[in-house]
Amino acid sequence: MASTADIRNGVVLKIDGQLWSVVEFQHVKPGKGGAFVRTKLKNVLTGKVVDKTYNAGAKVEIENVDRRDFTYLYNDGEGFVFMDMSDYDQITVGAATVGDAANFLLENQQVTIALNNGNALYVDLPASVVLEITYTEPGLQGDRSSAGTKPATVETGYEIQVPLFLETGTKVKVDTRTGDYLGRVS
């Protein structure tokens, strides 16, 4: 067990059986009364953010979370198979844990996986990835009813909105957090 003095940004706490990552913390020492620690915590699995206040010196349970680099190999139908870059061990991560990251995963792509006691908590992708458009309708000149964008399917099967001038076969940069088109890659 650790105390509130050990709380830092990025530390993972175990509260009521769930893992929470510290996003922000602030030691507050008011003129009257005891000192306390105000924290903003993010649930590691669901992404929910809450504020929690601890009295100074209160005991907290800090969990060991190991973030390591992996390479995505393939989807075997039951889950996604990744290879550890340091020792070449392979792990299978379930689709529920991978979540929306599956929309942007390409073979041999580098990702970071957070592990706790050998269990994968989440898959962290780079901020953006380069994907090729596999299908899109031809854009009509002068068609501005759709604000200058059209749907396009990328090589992972995910559909994004792109400008009218883009064609099938074009490589585009996509934001992995929002799925937004960021630009064309030549």
Side-chain angles (χ1 to χ4, degrees):
M1 292 294 268
S3 73
T4 54
D6 299 317
I7 293 178
R8 300 281 178 261
N9 288 347
V11 167
V12 177
L13 304 176
K14 188 171 190 176
I15 304 168
D16 299 330
Q18 293 187 335
L19 298 177
W20 297 82
S21 176
V22 177
V23 178
E24 291 177 17
F25 75 99
Q26 179 182 20
H27 289 276
V28 180
K29 193 171 179 188
K32 195 175 197 181
F36 58 91
V37 178
R38 187 178 294 136
T39 62
K40 183 181 282 190
L41 304 172
K42 179 179 179 183
N43 190 307
V44 170
L45 298 177
T46 64
K48 179 180 177 184
V49 177
V50 297
D51 293 324
K52 190 162 176 67
T53 303
Y54 294 97
N55 290 329
K59 298 293 181 199
V60 293
E61 192 173 348
I62 294 180
E63 278 292 315
N64 182 23
V65 174
D66 187 20
R67 292 174 180 86
R68 291 194 297 198
D69 291 331
F70 285 82
T71 299
Y72 172 62
L73 298 177
Y74 58 90
N75 184 345
D76 67 359
E78 296 176 16
F80 296 82
V81 179
F82 295 89
M83 181 176 63
D84 189 337
M85 295 308 297
S86 59
D87 58 9
Y88 305 110
D89 282 346
Q90 292 184 6
I91 64 167
T92 302
V93 179
T97 304
V98 174
D100 291 338
N103 296 328
F104 308 105
L105 275 177
L106 289 175
E107 289 182 5
N108 299 320
Q109 184 175 359
Q110 302 293 318
V111 298
T112 302
I113 299 179
L115 300 168
N116 175 255
N117 299 327
N119 298 325
L121 299 175
Y122 60 87
V123 176
D124 203 10
L125 292 173
S128 64
V129 292
V130 175
L131 300 171
E132 184 176 331
I133 296 175
T134 56
Y135 176 77
T136 186
E137 295 286 333
L140 298 173
Q141 187 65 26
D143 177 20
R144 294 292 179 259
S145 64
S146 57
T149 62
K150 62 182 178 180
T153 305
V154 293
E155 57 190 307
T156 60
Y158 188 63
E159 191 173 278
I160 62 171
Q161 292 292 319
V162 298
L164 291 172
F165 61 85
L166 291 179
E167 300 170 356
T168 300
T170 307
K171 289 192 180 288
V172 293
K173 194 175 206 177
V174 180
D175 188 327
T176 57
R177 297 171 298 243
T178 61
D180 293 341
Y181 163 82
L182 294 176
R184 189 168 40 170
V185 178
S186 49

